[in-house]
Amino acid sequence: MNKTNQDRIWELGVANIYNEAGKEEKEELKLLSENADNEKVKESIAGIREKLGNTGSLQNSSSLLSWEKISQHLRKKQIKLHLTLLKYAAIIIFAFGVGILFQKYWSFKPTTSPVYTEVRVPFGQMSEITLYDGTRVWLNSGTTLRYSDSFGTSDRKVELIGEAFFKVMKSEIPFRVKIKNNEIEVLGTSFAAIAYPDEIFSQVTLVEGSVQINDRQGRALTHLKPKQQVNLPDDVKKKITTTEVNTAFYESWINGEIKFDNEKLVDVARRMERWYNVEIFFESEEVSAVRFTGTVLKNKPIDQSMKAICMLLSINAEYQNNLNTKDVITISK
Amino acid sequence: MEDNNLWENIKKGDRNRFKELHDKYFHQMYLYAFKSVDGDSGLAEELVSDCFIKIWENRKKLNIETSVKHYLFIILRNGIIDHLRKQKVFTEPIPMDIMAPGDEKDFDDQRQYVRLYMAVKKLPEQCRRVLELAAFESLSYQEIADSLQISKNTVKTQMGRAYKQLKEMLDPKDFNFFLMVCEGLF
């Protein structure tokens, strides 16, 4: 049998079953199918298609996470055992302690509702913080990170509005990040999250380790592997999609660089607006769709970066310095 | 290692063997649970994990004389029934008949699905991404092309290649036989 012919029948047969074959291709397939071996290929395709339908559900399963949960439980069990032994010792120490304390302070602390800490990074700046558990977070321009004062003791929950890069310290307590409609759940890993209110989606990019994406109720939606990026539309009815990306573009900014890989100028502009606290307009749609690949250094003033981009793409940028409002840049062909 | 051998070691408290058992059956059990709870993936995974926790806690009391696999599925089934009972306590009786796990044909099917899933994971990177988007996320060829920034034609070629490779991975025997016949002919 001819090798290319063989590949062709697989290609056409599969396209046909997914309703992707055009009229001519259908006829070509018909011709090829007159051969009995090719007829068999068609049967195989149908069989695999049917099985794949039953296999898809495994896509949302993770043997790794299941085991993680079980072994966590086993560990808890061990701790409990130690605790029962410790209990007796503790009772004795506690009895002494209470006696001493009563003598010293005869007062009770009022119970308080949780207090939230909020870290806010204005446009044009970025910031790096280390949380109580040792987790490091880089906050990009125009970002707010919020967490309660109980962080690190019973849970590790933070809320993110904007863009941040996380290096999560490994611990048995899951680290959870609330973003828009979703929640990111990890044990210890590095990932980037983007959830700006003025975008119509949020986005998580995994650099190493593994993360689980939950819905608002904390139910698992999907898992990411290193280098995968998930796009979560704000409109929950829309499909979430996962793609493979070069993670360098999502972690470079923590070192003061923004890398762009063949991105439309309109998207480049949106990031530069936040970073430099300016407004960028385009004179035509045509110029906003020009694609740019390159690195913008944060410590360079914006006019220098703009000049470089303009020269590379042969476009023009016009500046308008404003005293009380943001500076405005207009880009034209 | 054979299941019964594994089990002997698990009874003695060997966690590594316990993990081996878990990894061996996780996907099959997940499929079974997934079907029984109307496709709630988070819940299905939880039911399987809970089943293993139950087994570990009772390992010393359990005497498995028949097959370990059947035992796993029985415990899982009980867990599913418990769960459904809690949910549907005042509404409807539990449809017991759809869930008997003992059927060898079901096991066979599950095993095939898991094998296929593992085969999908072994496909070359781009091939796998394309196939997953088409088969699991029901994207059209054009949508896949857009999302992976490749041409629609590449999607078509990769889909054909993916299916062909899956077929070869799934029946290596048939394929070898096919090669033998070819060699015999020429």
Side-chain angles (χ1 to χ4, degrees):
Chain A
M1 199 185 299
N2 185 328
K3 171 90 175 127
T4 47
N5 237 349
Q6 254 260 327
D7 285 342
R8 185 74 183 150
I9 177 99
W10 279 96
E11 198 177 305
L12 291 175
V14 174
N16 188 41
I17 210 165
Y18 281 91
N19 292 325
E20 297 279 358
K23 203 175 161 203
E24 281 166 30
E25 288 174 318
K26 276 187 179 165
E27 263 158 35
E28 190 184 341
L29 181 66
K30 216 174 184 180
L31 272 171
L32 283 166
S33 303
E34 280 165 13
N35 178 323
D37 280 337
N38 286 344
E39 194 56 46
K40 251 193 211 133
V41 170
K42 271 172 82 183
E43 272 167 36
S44 298
I45 291 173
I48 293 174
R49 167 91 198 255
E50 196 210 319
K51 276 192 212 147
L52 276 174
N54 285 305
T55 298
S57 58
L58 284 169
Q59 190 76 347
N60 287 327
S61 74
S62 163
S63 159
L64 219 71
L65 282 175
S66 164
W67 178 253
E68 192 73 49
K69 192 184 159 204
I70 295 164
S71 61
Q72 234 177 70
H73 182 90
L74 303 189
R75 255 177 269 150
K76 249 187 248 155
K77 213 59 208 220
Q78 240 177 2
I79 293 168
K80 231 189 247 166
L81 206 76
H82 289 309
L83 280 182
T84 38
L85 287 176
L86 272 176
K87 206 157 62 186
Y88 298 103
I91 288 171
I92 297 166
I93 295 167
F94 181 71
F96 276 110
V98 167
I100 294 164
L101 276 180
F102 260 101
Q103 281 182 332
K104 267 196 153 175
Y105 318 91
W106 182 252
S107 67
F108 294 97
K109 256 193 174 170
T111 53
T112 48
S113 55
V115 178
Y116 286 93
T117 307
E118 205 175 81
V119 184
R120 233 184 258 183
V121 182
F123 285 106
Q125 301 194 8
M126 53 184 269
S127 171
E128 182 198 338
I129 57 169
T130 304
L131 298 172
Y132 174 73
D133 65 339
T135 294
R136 290 171 79 189
V137 189
W138 287 261
L139 303 169
N140 208 341
S141 307
T143 298
T144 304
L145 187 80
R146 193 185 307 163
Y147 51 92
S148 87
D149 61 350
S150 69
F151 178 93
T153 45
S154 54
D155 63 43
R156 299 198 289 165
K157 269 191 212 162
V158 301
E159 191 180 338
L160 172 73
I161 304 165
E163 174 169 9
F165 188 86
F166 293 85
K167 276 195 179 152
V168 177
M169 196 53 92
K170 210 162 177 72
S171 154
E172 281 167 30
I173 306 170
F175 189 96
R176 295 194 166 93
V177 186
K178 193 182 164 285
I179 47 165
K180 288 189 180 171
N181 293 322
N182 298 86
E183 183 185 76
I184 310 164
E185 185 178 330
V186 305
L187 291 166
T189 144
S190 300
F191 62 93
I194 301 179
Y196 278 111
D198 58 345
E199 308 264 14
I200 52 161
F201 61 87
S202 45
Q203 195 182 60
V204 182
T205 313
L206 180 61
V207 176
E208 58 180 38
S210 81
V211 312
Q212 175 178 320
I213 307 292
N214 298 335
D215 65 8
R216 214 180 273 211
Q217 281 78 37
R219 285 179 304 209
L221 287 176
T222 181
H223 298 99
L224 295 188
K225 288 189 209 90
K227 291 193 183 149
Q228 282 189 342
Q229 174 178 80
V230 66
N231 212 307
L232 305 151
D234 285 357
D235 182 354
V236 284
K237 273 173 262 158
K238 286 201 180 135
K239 233 181 191 110
I240 61 173
T241 47
T242 313
T243 44
E244 199 89 6
V245 295
N246 181 350
T247 54
F249 298 107
Y250 299 89
E251 51 180 332
S252 60
W253 61 266
I254 66 179
N255 304 320
E257 303 173 355
I258 330 180
K259 287 191 176 172
F260 297 103
D261 177 24
N262 200 25
E263 271 178 71
K264 281 190 194 149
L265 267 189
V266 61
D267 296 323
V268 174
R270 206 154 339 121
R271 301 198 78 184
M272 297 201 28
E273 278 179 341
R274 287 189 198 115
W275 215 342
Y276 290 106
N277 197 23
V278 294
E279 273 186 81
I280 300 178
F281 291 106
F282 292 95
E283 238 179 28
S284 64
E285 250 183 51
E286 188 198 347
V287 64
S288 76
V290 174
R291 289 182 185 271
F292 171 65
T293 301
T295 303
V296 176
L297 292 177
K298 173 72 165 78
N299 57 11
K300 293 266 184 276
I302 183 160
D303 52 329
Q304 265 188 38
S305 306
M306 261 343 277
K307 219 176 260 168
I309 294 177
C310 287
M311 263 170 65
L312 270 171
L313 303 176
S314 53
I315 49 173
N316 296 310
E318 196 182 307
Y319 282 78
Q320 190 187 327
N321 292 328
N322 297 330
L323 261 185
N324 293 320
T325 53
K326 292 178 182 178
D327 290 353
V328 172
I329 300 172
T330 311
I331 295 178
S332 58
K333 194 94 191 176
Chain B
M1 213 187 273
E2 282 289 306
D3 284 358
N4 287 11
N5 220 332
L6 273 179
W7 181 245
E8 282 311 308
N9 284 304
I10 292 168
K11 276 189 93 158
K12 288 180 203 148
D14 187 337
R15 285 186 190 184
N16 292 330
R17 296 292 88 74
F18 188 50
K19 179 171 192 301
E20 208 175 311
L21 188 74
H22 169 270
D23 292 352
K24 185 170 173 187
Y25 287 111
F26 171 82
H27 288 108
Q28 274 191 55
M29 292 170 73
Y30 173 87
L31 277 177
Y32 172 69
F34 185 83
K35 243 186 178 172
S36 314
V37 295
D38 292 334
D40 182 336
S41 55
L43 179 60
E45 197 170 299
E46 201 176 312
L47 285 165
V48 177
S49 312
D50 287 348
C51 165
F52 276 98
I53 291 172
K54 235 182 266 170
I55 286 175
W56 179 260
E57 284 177 347
N58 294 305
R59 67 187 186 280
K60 285 184 186 140
K61 284 178 262 168
L62 290 178
N63 274 317
I64 301 181
E65 273 156 20
T66 53
S67 93
V68 178
K69 181 177 75 183
H70 273 97
Y71 208 91
L72 286 175
F73 276 88
I74 288 168
I75 305 245
L76 176 59
R77 177 183 189 228
N78 290 344
I80 295 169
I81 292 176
D82 279 350
H83 172 83
L84 294 179
R85 210 171 262 153
K86 263 182 237 156
Q87 262 193 338
K88 299 189 173 174
V89 72
F90 298 119
T91 51
E92 50 202 285
I94 296 157
M96 298 289 222
D97 50 324
I98 55 159
M99 315 213 307
D103 191 342
E104 272 306 320
K105 194 192 163 296
D106 284 350
F107 281 141
D108 261 1
D109 286 348
Q110 283 161 7
R111 241 195 318 266
Q112 283 192 36
Y113 301 146
V114 175
R115 264 187 72 200
L116 180 63
Y117 181 68
M118 298 300 171
V120 170
K121 294 286 157 199
K122 277 191 214 134
L123 290 173
E125 197 56 39
Q126 197 185 44
C127 226
R128 178 178 65 79
R129 288 301 304 148
V130 169
L131 180 79
E132 282 178 349
L133 290 175
F136 301 152
E137 319 225 345
S138 311
L139 295 192
S140 72
Y141 278 18
Q142 188 58 54
E143 284 168 328
I144 298 169
D146 292 345
S147 110
L148 297 182
Q149 302 197 334
I150 52 180
S151 74
K152 198 175 164 187
N153 229 352
T154 310
V155 174
K156 203 177 277 177
T157 327
Q158 294 287 15
M159 280 299 283
R161 211 170 283 168
Y163 263 73
K164 188 165 173 243
Q165 288 192 27
L166 284 178
K167 163 84 177 148
E168 285 164 10
M169 281 194 263
L170 289 178
D171 332 297
K173 266 186 240 146
D174 287 6
F175 187 65
N176 287 341
F177 179 68
F178 165 64
L179 285 180
M180 259 163 51
V181 172
C182 287
E183 270 163 7
L185 283 175
F186 304 110

